[in-house]
Amino acid sequence: MGGEAASTSSSNPHSQPQESGATQHRVESVKRHLSRLVAKSLCAVAADLDVEPMIEVSKSGFGDYQCNNAMSLFSRIRESATNFGNPNAVGQAMADNFPPSRIVESISVVGPGYVNIALSSDWIAQRIQDMLIHGIESWAPILPVKRVVLDFSSPNIAKEMHVGHIRSTIIGDTLARIFEFANIEVLRRNHVGDWGTQFGMLIEFLFEKFANGEEAGNQAIENLQGFYRNAKKKFDENPDFKGRAQQAVVRLQRGEDRYLAAWKSICQISRNEFDLVYKRLNVELEEKGESYYNPYIPRVLEELTSKGLITESEGARVIFIEGQKAPLIVVKRDGGFNYASTDLAALWYRLNVEMAEWIIYVTDVGQQQHFHSFFSAARLAGWLPDKKEEKYPKVSHVGFGFVLGAEGSRFRTRSSDGVVRLVDLLDEAKSQSLAQLIKRLTENGQIADWTDEELDKTSEAVGYGAVKYADLKNNRLTNYKFSYEQMLSDKGNTAVYLQYAHARICSIIQKSNKDVKELKLTESITLGHPDERSLGLHLIQFAEVVGSPEETSRLLLCQASAVVMRQCFHLLGITPVHKL
């Protein structure tokens, strides 16, 4: 029960911070480097003011980066400094006081004081060269935390994963990969719904179908959704069954062996189904479901009560939060616990036992009010600092919109339950990707050069990657329309297009017949052509741009492009292909 957490998938091998050569050579971002230089310039211009540098990537034709402090700074110093007649004069003063640096090639001031900064081409080239030697990890971001809990995916036991779970799973996995890339320990938590009153209903229904419920295998619940639906129907329509189901909950909570065994059986069958999805998506999670935190609820509620936060209201126990109409219910009228009590217990555990500095919850935007309420309760309890302080530990809710069908309504199928099974959705993406790949290779006369295994692995990487990228490229907070045709297109902003770009770069390197590992140590990169410089600038900004082939220098640029693209693919959970 509480202390028995089963892994939905194997633990993440990348979750533990590991020192490496690349880690030892980690460098700060270009933006952070420039911010330090701008801070010194601002101090020289307005020493008495605390001003945060405002650095942005410039639009094409206006340098590489731009400092936008002049206008706001002028409004603060115009009355006390007579030598600045306008924002442009402030910007010019900032440029004049900019510290010498090998990173900067030139500085200019335009308009109302915009300070345009052009980076040194030699410095850009050397930065890329260093990355090739020390590894892409040397470009990892440097963040102020060491341990993060990421709560994502979180399906309900006895219910199949459907398209509604795809965004939480994909977004959560990507966030985890980014933190892990930054050498932060990430606790990937699958907070599955494996506890509560519905289990009495499921267990009693299982006992009716199989006398020895604890010995029931996968055949007991061949269709998870159907099993749950039939149990719920009987629960709603049959008073005798409802009564037995309610008693089953009590017996489960008491820890009676037969009921615990049946509960574990149902949970394991669901885990097997979940793993079919996680395996396809290459997502790793450690399950700590609602049941895991159940033993901690009484002590947490006792602490909150002792602090005067929990009061009686209309038969329930609640926490009143300033500015919120409805209180946060932590104990229902019947004495049962709910999501709020479980989430508070889980947060307490994550802060005090797992010692997490940042806890992030990835759910749909519809749960935003719930998280606001229980985060507020945690702050009232003194578990978290005031939100305005921007201190750790902290909590965040990463909300997201819904997946829609072609007509703009919630994504449905023609099946009676109206739910798209996530396994079927992913398999269809792979199937369509395979069909497109075979068609293209056949038309180009290249099909004979591919083995069945290559076709299978490539279509899997492209198909699953297309689903992930189509989800991640959209604004997280808005809904988006699901379309196989769009996501599997080889044109435009799609994973398929990027896979082709990566494969072409790999082909250029392969056809050169040169040892790139040797070249990066013996040769150097030069950015003489404007396109080469543009590519180099994009690379140090960690974006994906494809360069053209030429000897040594451009070959190294191609290699750097491929390295950066592969790391970006990894952060998105997409498997890169080297041949298409």
Side-chain angles (χ1 to χ4, degrees):
M1 196 159 51
E4 298 177 1
S7 294
T8 301
S9 183
S10 58
S11 59
N12 190 344
H14 303 292
S15 63
Q16 297 293 332
Q18 297 177 354
E19 289 293 327
S20 64
T23 301
Q24 295 171 2
H25 290 90
R26 284 170 73 178
V27 295
E28 63 183 350
S29 69
V30 180
K31 195 171 180 179
R32 182 174 293 183
H33 196 146
L34 289 176
S35 292
R36 288 195 296 105
L37 297 176
V38 169
K40 293 180 180 179
S41 173
L42 288 168
C43 184
V45 175
D48 297 333
L49 298 179
D50 183 16
V51 183
E52 188 73 19
M54 299 168 61
I55 300 291
E56 300 294 339
V57 176
S58 297
K59 294 181 180 179
S60 178
F62 293 92
D64 301 320
Y65 287 82
Q66 188 177 82
C67 174
N68 302 325
N69 284 97
M71 290 186 68
S72 59
L73 183 57
F74 175 70
S75 66
R76 297 175 64 182
I77 64 177
R78 62 190 305 174
E79 296 181 359
S80 59
T82 57
N83 55 325
F84 296 119
N86 53 53
N88 184 278
V90 176
Q92 194 62 56
M94 291 175 58
D96 294 340
N97 286 279
F98 209 87
S101 173
R102 66 186 184 91
I103 186 177
V104 178
E105 192 166 276
S106 64
I107 298 177
S108 61
V109 181
V110 297
Y114 297 128
V115 180
N116 293 329
I117 304 168
L119 302 182
S120 163
S121 296
D122 290 341
W123 181 83
I124 294 173
Q126 186 60 54
R127 190 175 178 94
I128 296 171
Q129 190 98 28
D130 291 342
M131 180 274 288
L132 288 174
I133 293 172
H134 299 300
I136 189 66
E137 291 79 12
S138 63
W139 282 5
I142 301 173
L143 301 177
V145 294
K146 295 182 179 180
R147 179 177 291 180
V148 171
V149 167
L150 260 167
D151 184 324
F152 66 103
S153 193
S154 307
N156 287 321
I157 294 294
K159 291 186 178 181
E160 291 171 329
M161 291 184 72
H162 53 78
V163 70
H165 294 107
I166 193 170
R167 300 210 75 182
S168 176
T169 305
I170 291 174
I171 293 171
D173 179 59
T174 298
L175 287 173
R177 289 169 181 267
I178 292 172
F179 281 119
E180 288 159 359
F181 177 57
N183 208 43
I184 291 170
E185 182 182 8
V186 180
L187 306 182
R188 294 164 165 252
R189 293 290 177 253
N190 202 6
H191 190 86
V192 298
D194 67 346
W195 202 245
T197 56
Q198 77 272 19
F199 276 92
M201 171 188 78
L202 295 171
I203 290 171
E204 192 61 32
F205 192 68
L206 182 66
F207 285 164
E208 286 195 357
K209 292 176 68 70
F210 290 83
N212 296 320
E214 65 273 16
E215 298 177 2
N218 290 339
Q219 73 277 10
I221 315 174
E222 294 179 357
N223 183 327
L224 283 171
Q225 199 70 21
F227 179 84
Y228 186 94
R229 186 171 58 250
N230 292 335
K232 183 68 167 62
K233 185 174 185 294
K234 189 162 188 176
F235 183 86
D236 293 337
E237 298 176 355
N238 189 320
D240 290 339
F241 176 80
K242 183 176 182 178
R244 294 196 303 274
Q246 291 171 336
Q247 286 300 311
V249 174
V250 176
R251 292 179 176 181
L252 173 63
Q253 292 176 342
R254 288 175 179 169
E256 293 187 20
D257 291 343
R258 184 166 181 251
Y259 290 84
L260 276 176
W263 171 74
K264 290 179 180 179
S265 177
I266 294 172
C267 290
Q268 188 56 50
I269 293 168
S270 287
R271 290 189 190 103
N272 295 338
E273 290 294 316
F274 298 161
D275 279 344
L276 296 177
V277 173
Y278 296 135
K279 182 178 180 180
R280 284 164 172 76
L281 291 175
N282 192 26
V283 171
E284 295 179 332
L285 282 155
E286 182 181 3
E287 181 183 308
K288 274 189 167 65
E290 293 176 354
S291 64
Y292 186 87
Y293 305 104
N294 196 61
Y296 298 95
I297 293 177
R299 72 179 72 173
V300 168
L301 296 182
E302 182 180 350
E303 177 184 332
L304 297 177
T305 301
S306 68
K307 292 180 177 180
L309 297 179
I310 296 180
T311 59
E312 298 286 336
S313 177
E314 299 180 6
R317 299 180 67 192
V318 304
I319 298 176
F320 286 98
I321 298 171
E322 185 178 356
Q324 192 166 301
K325 293 182 179 180
L328 180 68
I329 300 174
V330 293
V331 181
K332 297 183 293 185
R333 293 178 182 178
D334 62 4
F337 301 135
N338 59 3
Y339 288 127
S341 45
T342 300
D343 282 343
L344 284 167
L347 178 59
W348 180 92
Y349 182 89
R350 290 162 176 175
L351 290 170
N352 293 281
V353 179
E354 295 179 323
M355 305 299 290
E357 297 163 274
W358 195 354
I359 302 99
I360 301 172
Y361 301 81
V362 186
T363 75
D364 65 75
V365 292
Q367 299 186 47
Q368 183 174 350
Q369 183 58 48
H370 166 73
F371 283 101
H372 172 74
S373 298
F374 108 78
F375 289 170
S376 298
R379 290 190 179 96
L380 289 173
W383 298 353
L384 301 169
D386 188 278
K387 192 175 183 180
K388 297 178 182 178
E389 296 180 9
E390 296 184 357
K391 294 181 179 179
Y392 295 93
K394 72 174 185 177
V395 291
S396 300
H397 173 230
V398 176
F400 53 82
F402 298 106
V403 182
L404 306 178
E407 301 80 14
S409 57
R410 293 286 291 274
F411 194 33
R412 308 279 184 182
T413 59
R414 297 175 183 173
S415 62
S416 58
D417 56 24
V419 176
V420 179
R421 294 178 70 236
L422 196 44
V423 168
D424 295 339
L425 180 148
L426 294 170
D427 287 348
E428 179 64 19
K430 177 182 176 180
S431 177
Q432 291 197 25
S433 175
L434 178 60
Q436 289 185 13
L437 180 61
I438 292 175
K439 181 176 182 292
R440 184 183 65 81
L441 293 174
T442 301
E443 292 174 349
N444 295 340
Q446 299 174 330
I447 190 67
D449 299 331
W450 287 65
T451 65
D452 290 342
E453 183 180 4
E454 286 178 319
L455 289 171
D456 182 73
K457 288 186 176 181
T458 301
S459 61
E460 182 176 282
V462 172
Y464 298 163
V467 173
K468 291 184 178 184
Y469 189 81
D471 188 289
L472 293 167
K473 76 174 183 179
N474 290 284
N475 185 308
R476 172 173 55 83
L477 296 174
T478 60
N479 304 334
Y480 79 94
K481 293 183 180 180
F482 187 94
S483 168
Y484 288 115
E485 181 179 1
Q486 292 180 9
M487 69 176 56
L488 292 172
S489 172
D490 60 359
K491 297 178 178 62
N493 185 18
T494 68
V496 181
Y497 174 83
L498 294 174
Q499 291 277 26
Y500 273 111
H502 176 260
R504 283 194 293 269
I505 293 174
C506 293
S507 177
I508 290 169
I509 296 171
Q510 184 181 21
K511 290 179 180 178
S512 73
N513 292 319
K514 292 183 179 291
D515 186 348
V516 178
K517 291 182 179 180
E518 179 66 23
L519 287 180
K520 68 183 181 183
L521 298 174
T522 60
E523 302 293 335
S524 61
I525 295 173
T526 57
L527 304 176
H529 193 280
D531 289 342
E532 294 173 341
R533 189 185 187 283
S534 177
L535 173 58
L537 181 63
H538 277 80
L539 287 176
I540 66 170
Q541 293 171 346
F542 217 78
E544 310 85 15
V545 176
V546 182
S548 58
E550 199 174 81
E551 293 296 311
T552 56
S553 174
R554 289 190 177 180
L555 195 63
L556 289 174
L557 269 180
C558 284
Q559 175 67 8
S561 299
V563 169
V564 172
M565 289 186 75
R566 282 195 288 271
Q567 184 59 42
C568 288
F569 280 139
H570 172 75
L571 295 179
L572 300 179
I574 297 174
T575 302
V577 296
H578 294 68
K579 172 184 174 183
L580 264 177

